[in-house]
Amino acid sequence: MMDVMLDTNDPAFLADPHPVFDALRKHGGFVRDQLGLSLISYDACDAAFHDRALVPGIDWLLQEMGHGPLWGVFDHTLTDSEGVDHQRLRRAVSPWFTARRIDALRVRTRDLVADLLDAHDPATELDVMSGLADQVPAQLFCWMIGADPADAELLAQLSKVLLLVFTAQESMVEPVRAAKRELLEYTRQLLDAKRRQPGDDLASILVAAHDSGAIAGEDALYLLEELLSASVDNTANTTGLALHTLAERPDQWALLQADASLIAGAAEECGRFQPAIRHTIKFAVEDTELLGHQVAKGTYVSIRIAAAHRDPEVYDSPHTFDVTRKLAKPQLAFGAGRHYCLGAALGKMEVQEMIAGVTSRWQSAAVGETADMSITASGHVRSLPLVLQP
């Protein structure tokens, strides 16, 4: 294990990581990388998500680089809390993520998707991102928190900047800090407004939890920041990757158009085949053991989700995209275990409705020449024009 190296700067990896992962599999699910340890099998990745000695590592890495934590706030956000602190914060926001609320939001999401697509000029290309995927999650988030829908564009822009933190590159530090300052001031004003005039929204729930003593200090402030950061841009990228994958496979697109009951499974397969989150970093706060492999305290462990999703020990013909596939094990893009994404059901619903809206209206689509995206080592979609066949 320790003699095998994954070089994530290798041009071959950056061009297409999957042949690299396949070549490494004969050495098992554990390989070295520039940061520490990489996990490339499904079982190893799943075990790491459930191991309590492994905590979210991006802020540990940024502190080591001298920047301080830039993603979460230790003990005040879901990402950077454990034990009773994590349970306390999760209880405060979970009432807004019930099946009943998500069903109600599905109706609003479906109507919003329909409005956006009906307004599209059929004689022109549809940029999936600016015309749909960047708009829906941001507007939905405004509904959720009780914000002015006119703020959706600002919140989408801030989300995109904040997620640059996961590149751990020097160039993102000042833009992320500026975005955090702007968002914190926005959330302070929103929470103050909800304290004066509460409503049936997530921001009001957090104000009530704070005032009752269920959460402490500035938990409400940092929780809203965290939820925005995670809920908008990731959903947009997931949708863009899904529609790109479908557009390049007309036979799969046709299956969805013929049978809308396949949409939910298709969204899961899209997430397996091209996840927006390709890897996540953990940090070992104490010695631990993963599937018989020793991991020393202080080790950075990269969970290679993209590799886990193409593990032939779990998924038959893993490099084949099939909207009728029944996943043998769930995709890991939303995590697993105690830090499983609280908004997973909400995000999946949004992606389903956007896929359904596009595939039901047009017979097929071709990717335009000006598409701007990263679908190899990362999962960012900046622009995705589609030439649509009515």
Side-chain angles (χ1 to χ4, degrees):
M1 174 188 70
M2 299 309 295
D3 295 329
V4 181
M5 181 75 178
L6 168 64
D7 182 0
T8 56
N9 295 318
D10 184 356
F13 179 85
L14 295 174
D16 185 354
H18 292 295
V20 176
F21 290 140
D22 286 344
L24 291 172
R25 291 188 199 282
K26 64 178 178 289
H27 301 289
F30 299 76
V31 296
R32 289 187 300 115
D33 61 25
Q34 299 98 310
L35 193 60
L37 183 66
S38 270
L39 312 181
I40 62 172
S41 74
Y42 184 100
D43 288 345
C45 290
D46 186 55
F49 274 124
H50 287 86
D51 193 315
R52 292 186 175 274
L54 299 178
V55 302
I58 188 63
D59 280 330
W60 288 86
L61 176 60
L62 292 172
Q63 285 197 125
E64 188 175 299
M65 295 170 66
H67 304 309
L70 290 177
W71 170 248
V73 179
F74 288 118
D75 295 335
H76 291 286
T77 53
L78 292 166
T79 304
D80 285 314
S81 61
E82 297 290 338
V84 294
D85 287 317
H86 184 82
Q87 294 167 13
R88 168 176 56 84
L89 298 174
R90 202 173 185 94
R91 280 196 301 269
V93 294
S94 58
W96 228 94
F97 292 91
T98 63
R100 179 183 64 82
R101 285 196 179 273
I102 291 171
D103 284 344
L105 286 173
R106 183 183 291 274
V107 175
R108 300 195 72 165
T109 303
R110 187 170 295 167
D111 290 344
L112 175 58
V113 169
D115 289 345
L116 291 169
L117 294 179
D118 288 346
H120 171 67
D121 181 355
T124 65
E125 294 179 341
L126 169 67
D127 188 328
V128 164
M129 302 310 292
S130 62
L132 182 67
D134 283 339
Q135 294 198 45
V136 171
Q139 291 198 35
L140 195 65
F141 190 79
C142 285
W143 293 337
M144 288 172 54
I145 66 174
D148 187 338
D151 295 340
E153 184 176 355
L154 169 65
L155 296 177
Q157 291 172 349
L158 291 174
S159 177
K160 287 180 180 295
V161 175
L162 290 167
L163 287 177
L164 293 175
V165 74
F166 291 100
T167 66
Q169 295 177 350
E170 198 80 29
S171 59
M172 65 79 189
V173 174
E174 288 310 315
V176 167
R177 283 179 174 157
K180 286 177 75 70
R181 287 193 297 269
E182 185 172 2
L183 182 56
L184 281 173
E185 181 57 29
Y186 179 92
T187 53
R188 286 184 197 278
Q189 294 179 14
L190 177 65
L191 291 169
D192 287 344
K194 296 302 176 182
R195 183 165 280 110
R196 294 190 301 269
Q197 187 173 353
D200 182 25
D201 54 66
L202 179 55
S204 297
I205 285 177
L206 288 174
V207 167
H210 176 266
D211 292 348
S212 71
I215 57 178
E218 295 191 308
D219 288 340
L221 188 68
Y222 292 122
L223 277 170
L224 270 185
E225 178 193 348
E226 178 184 33
L227 291 170
L228 168 67
S229 304
S231 65
V232 175
D233 200 43
N234 280 336
T235 302
N237 282 321
T238 298
T239 303
L241 289 165
L243 288 170
H244 177 269
T245 301
L246 288 163
E248 293 202 319
R249 294 163 178 80
D251 59 325
Q252 300 295 299
W253 184 295
L255 288 173
L256 298 187
Q257 190 173 70
D259 185 357
S261 70
L262 295 174
I263 291 291
E268 291 296 309
E269 173 68 348
C270 287
R272 180 196 72 85
F273 193 76
Q274 290 285 19
I277 299 174
R278 302 304 174 97
H279 73 279
T280 188
I281 299 172
K282 299 288 187 178
F283 181 75
V285 292
E286 58 185 69
D287 292 344
T288 189
E289 182 180 296
L290 288 175
L291 305 182
H293 294 270
Q294 300 301 315
V295 179
K297 178 180 178 179
T299 300
Y300 288 100
V301 178
S302 293
I303 300 176
R304 300 286 169 184
I305 294 169
H309 284 186
R310 303 284 185 99
D311 187 342
E313 295 296 319
V314 174
Y315 303 109
D316 293 335
S317 302
H319 299 304
T320 299
F321 177 75
D322 180 6
V323 297
T324 68
R325 183 193 295 270
K326 306 297 182 186
L327 296 191
K329 290 185 179 180
Q331 56 155 305
L332 296 174
F334 293 95
R338 68 199 186 283
H339 282 285
Y340 183 73
C341 178
L342 184 65
L346 176 64
K348 290 181 180 183
M349 178 275 288
E350 294 176 78
V351 174
Q352 291 167 15
E353 291 302 322
M354 286 187 272
I355 292 175
V358 175
T359 58
S360 66
R361 280 170 173 75
W362 289 283
Q363 181 177 338
S364 63
V367 178
E369 294 181 357
T370 58
D372 181 10
M373 54 198 303
S374 302
I375 57 170
T376 51
S378 63
H380 299 132
V381 186
R382 291 168 286 276
S383 175
L384 179 60
L386 294 184
V387 181
L388 300 159
Q389 175 65 43

Coordinates of all heavy atoms in Angstrom, one line a residue, residues 301-330:
V301 N -6.5 12.0 4.9 CA -7.1 10.9 4.1 C -8.1 11.4 3.1 O -9.1 12.1 3.5 CB -7.8 9.9 5.1 CG1 -8.5 8.8 4.3 CG2 -6.9 9.4 6.1
S302 N -7.8 11.2 1.8 CA -8.6 11.7 0.7 C -9.6 10.6 0.3 O -9.1 9.5 -0.1 CB -7.8 12.2 -0.5 OG -7.1 13.4 -0.1
I303 N -10.9 10.8 0.5 CA -11.9 9.8 0.1 C -12.2 10.1 -1.4 O -12.8 11.1 -1.7 CB -13.1 9.9 0.9 CG1 -12.8 9.7 2.4 CG2 -14.2 9.0 0.4 CD1 -14.0 9.9 3.3
R304 N -11.7 9.2 -2.3 CA -11.9 9.4 -3.7 C -13.2 8.9 -4.2 O -13.4 7.8 -4.6 CB -10.7 8.7 -4.5 CG -9.3 9.2 -4.1 CD -9.0 10.6 -4.7 NE -7.8 11.2 -4.1 CZ -7.4 12.4 -4.4 NH1 -8.1 13.2 -5.2 NH2 -6.3 12.9 -3.8
I305 N -14.2 9.8 -4.1 CA -15.6 9.4 -4.4 C -15.7 8.9 -5.8 O -16.4 8.0 -6.1 CB -16.6 10.6 -4.1 CG1 -16.6 10.8 -2.6 CG2 -18.0 10.3 -4.6 CD1 -17.2 12.1 -2.2
A306 N -15.1 9.6 -6.7 CA -15.2 9.3 -8.2 C -14.7 7.9 -8.4 O -15.2 7.1 -9.2 CB -14.4 10.3 -9.0
A307 N -13.6 7.5 -7.7 CA -13.1 6.1 -7.8 C -14.0 5.1 -7.2 O -14.3 4.0 -7.7 CB -11.7 6.0 -7.1
A308 N -14.6 5.4 -6.0 CA -15.5 4.5 -5.3 C -16.7 4.2 -6.2 O -17.2 3.1 -6.3 CB -16.0 5.1 -4.0
H309 N -17.2 5.2 -6.9 CA -18.4 5.1 -7.8 C -18.1 4.3 -9.1 O -19.1 3.9 -9.8 CB -18.9 6.5 -8.2 CG -19.6 7.2 -7.1 ND1 -20.2 8.4 -7.3 CD2 -19.8 6.9 -5.8 CE1 -20.8 8.8 -6.2 NE2 -20.6 7.9 -5.3
R310 N -16.9 4.0 -9.3 CA -16.5 3.1 -10.5 C -15.8 1.8 -10.0 O -15.1 1.2 -10.8 CB -15.6 3.9 -11.5 CG -16.2 5.2 -12.0 CD -17.2 5.0 -13.1 NE -17.6 6.3 -13.7 CZ -17.1 6.8 -14.8 NH1 -16.3 6.1 -15.5 NH2 -17.5 8.0 -15.2
D311 N -16.1 1.4 -8.8 CA -15.4 0.2 -8.2 C -16.1 -1.0 -8.8 O -17.3 -1.2 -8.5 CB -15.5 0.2 -6.7 CG -14.8 -0.9 -6.1 OD1 -14.4 -1.9 -6.8 OD2 -14.5 -0.8 -4.8
P312 N -15.4 -1.8 -9.6 CA -16.1 -3.0 -10.2 C -16.5 -4.1 -9.2 O -17.2 -5.0 -9.5 CB -15.0 -3.5 -11.2 CG -13.7 -3.0 -10.6 CD -14.0 -1.7 -10.0
E313 N -15.9 -4.0 -8.0 CA -16.3 -4.9 -6.9 C -17.8 -4.6 -6.4 O -18.4 -5.4 -5.8 CB -15.4 -4.9 -5.8 CG -14.0 -5.3 -6.1 CD -13.9 -6.8 -6.5 OE1 -14.7 -7.6 -5.8 OE2 -13.2 -7.2 -7.4
V314 N -18.3 -3.4 -6.7 CA -19.6 -3.0 -6.3 C -20.6 -2.8 -7.4 O -21.7 -3.2 -7.3 CB -19.4 -1.7 -5.4 CG1 -20.8 -1.1 -5.0 CG2 -18.6 -1.9 -4.2
Y315 N -20.1 -2.2 -8.5 CA -21.0 -1.9 -9.6 C -20.6 -2.6 -10.9 O -19.4 -2.5 -11.3 CB -20.9 -0.4 -9.9 CG -21.3 0.5 -8.7 CD1 -20.3 1.3 -8.1 CD2 -22.6 0.6 -8.3 CE1 -20.6 2.1 -7.0 CE2 -22.9 1.4 -7.2 CZ -22.0 2.1 -6.5 OH -22.3 2.9 -5.5
D316 N -21.5 -3.4 -11.4 CA -21.2 -4.1 -12.6 C -21.0 -3.1 -13.8 O -21.7 -2.1 -13.9 CB -22.4 -5.1 -13.0 CG -22.6 -6.2 -12.0 OD1 -21.5 -6.6 -11.4 OD2 -23.7 -6.7 -11.9
S317 N -20.0 -3.4 -14.6 CA -19.7 -2.5 -15.8 C -19.7 -1.1 -15.3 O -20.5 -0.3 -15.8 CB -20.8 -2.7 -16.9 OG -20.8 -4.1 -17.3
P318 N -18.9 -0.7 -14.4 CA -19.0 0.6 -13.8 C -18.8 1.8 -14.7 O -19.2 2.9 -14.4 CB -17.9 0.5 -12.7 CG -16.9 -0.5 -13.2 CD -17.7 -1.5 -13.9
H319 N -18.1 1.6 -15.8 CA -17.9 2.7 -16.7 C -19.0 2.8 -17.8 O -18.9 3.7 -18.7 CB -16.5 2.5 -17.5 CG -15.3 2.5 -16.6 ND1 -15.1 3.5 -15.7 CD2 -14.4 1.6 -16.4 CE1 -14.0 3.2 -15.0 NE2 -13.5 2.0 -15.4
T320 N -20.0 2.0 -17.6 CA -21.2 2.1 -18.4 C -22.3 2.9 -17.7 O -22.6 2.7 -16.6 CB -21.8 0.7 -18.8 OG1 -20.8 0.0 -19.5 CG2 -23.0 0.8 -19.6
F321 N -22.8 3.9 -18.4 CA -23.9 4.8 -17.9 C -25.2 4.2 -18.3 O -25.5 4.0 -19.4 CB -23.8 6.2 -18.4 CG -24.9 7.1 -17.9 CD1 -24.9 7.6 -16.6 CD2 -25.9 7.5 -18.8 CE1 -25.9 8.5 -16.2 CE2 -26.9 8.3 -18.4 CZ -26.9 8.8 -17.1
D322 N -26.1 3.9 -17.3 CA -27.3 3.2 -17.5 C -28.4 3.8 -16.6 O -28.4 3.5 -15.4 CB -27.2 1.7 -17.3 CG -28.5 0.9 -17.5 OD1 -29.5 1.5 -18.0 OD2 -28.5 -0.3 -17.3
V323 N -29.4 4.5 -17.2 CA -30.4 5.1 -16.3 C -31.3 4.1 -15.7 O -32.1 4.4 -14.8 CB -31.2 6.2 -17.1 CG1 -30.3 7.3 -17.6 CG2 -32.0 5.6 -18.3
T324 N -31.3 2.9 -16.2 CA -32.2 1.8 -15.5 C -31.4 1.1 -14.5 O -32.0 0.1 -13.9 CB -32.7 0.9 -16.6 OG1 -31.6 0.1 -17.1 CG2 -33.4 1.6 -17.8
R325 N -30.2 1.4 -14.2 CA -29.4 0.7 -13.2 C -30.0 0.8 -11.8 O -30.4 1.9 -11.4 CB -28.0 1.3 -13.2 CG -27.0 0.5 -12.2 CD -25.7 1.3 -12.0 NE -24.9 1.4 -13.2 CZ -24.0 0.5 -13.6 NH1 -23.7 -0.5 -12.8 NH2 -23.3 0.7 -14.7
K326 N -30.0 -0.2 -11.1 CA -30.3 -0.2 -9.7 C -29.0 -0.3 -8.9 O -28.3 -1.3 -8.9 CB -31.2 -1.4 -9.3 CG -32.5 -1.5 -10.1 CD -33.4 -0.3 -10.0 CE -34.7 -0.5 -10.8 NZ -35.6 0.7 -10.8
L327 N -28.7 0.8 -8.2 CA -27.4 0.9 -7.5 C -27.3 -0.2 -6.5 O -28.1 -0.3 -5.6 CB -27.2 2.2 -6.9 CG -27.1 3.4 -7.8 CD1 -26.7 4.7 -7.1 CD2 -26.2 3.2 -9.0
A328 N -26.2 -1.0 -6.6 CA -25.9 -2.1 -5.6 C -25.7 -1.5 -4.2 O -26.1 -2.1 -3.2 CB -24.8 -2.9 -6.1
K329 N -25.0 -0.3 -4.2 CA -24.8 0.4 -2.9 C -25.0 1.9 -3.2 O -24.8 2.3 -4.4 CB -23.4 0.2 -2.4 CG -23.2 -1.3 -1.8 CD -21.8 -1.4 -1.2 CE -21.6 -2.8 -0.6 NZ -20.3 -3.0 0.0
P330 N -25.4 2.7 -2.3 CA -25.7 4.1 -2.5 C -24.5 4.9 -2.9 O -23.4 4.6 -2.5 CB -26.3 4.6 -1.2 CG -25.8 3.6 -0.2 CD -25.7 2.3 -0.9

